[in-house]
Amino acid sequence: MMIETYSPKETFLLGEKIGKKAAAGSVFSLIGDLGVGKTVLTQGIAKGLGIMEPICSPTFTIVQVYEEGRMPFYHFDVYRIGDIEEMEEIGYEDYFYGDGFTMIEWANLIEEILPEHYTKVTIEKDPDRGFDYRRIVIEEVNAA
């Protein structure tokens, strides 16, 4: 599915819609360049899950856990991962295969450890379509 948004508010609202429909155990990978709106989409997802506390990218902590919503929300940012062993050290499997909703920013950097089934979200800019334009592609991945 491909969705176009024309403002950060529209991107946020798309995230909120995703969060409201999210099922426990879901894993979403989030791919996109710096400044493309990954955190805005994630903030919307968190709101859709019922999380009211501020959401920011966990760039230096790798994972941020939010418990206050209708299910746990595990927000990963693996941009600074040196190698997969770092993910093993934090016990990524407990999150990926847990009973919460997992969002992984920069998931393309750890593709070899992603579950067999996940949802891949790719966000792209197109300056010719306007500064705030985003093309968001959502696809189910079944690596089995």
Side-chain angles (χ1 to χ4, degrees), residues 15-16 19 41-53 55 73:
E16 186 175 6
L41 184 75
T42 302
Q43 290 168 337
I45 290 170
K47 183 174 182 200
L49 290 169
I51 297 166
M52 296 300 139
E53 67 183 279
I55 305 294
F73 178 40

Side-chain angles (χ1 to χ4, degrees), residues 1 8 20 22 31-32 35 42 45-46 49 51 53 70 87 93 103 107 109 121 140:
M1 164 182 6
K20 285 180 178 177
I31 312 297
T42 302
I45 290 170
L49 290 169
I51 297 166
E53 67 183 279
R70 62 183 175 86
M87 292 295 290
E93 289 178 328
M103 171 64 74
L109 301 175
V121 179
E140 295 300 318

Side-chain angles (χ1 to χ4, degrees), residues 2 14-15 29 47 58-61 77 83 92 122 133 135:
M2 195 274 287
L14 172 62
S29 74
K47 183 174 182 200
T59 302
F60 296 102
T61 59
D77 182 329
D83 66 45
Y92 77 91
T122 305
Y133 172 84
R135 178 178 183 263

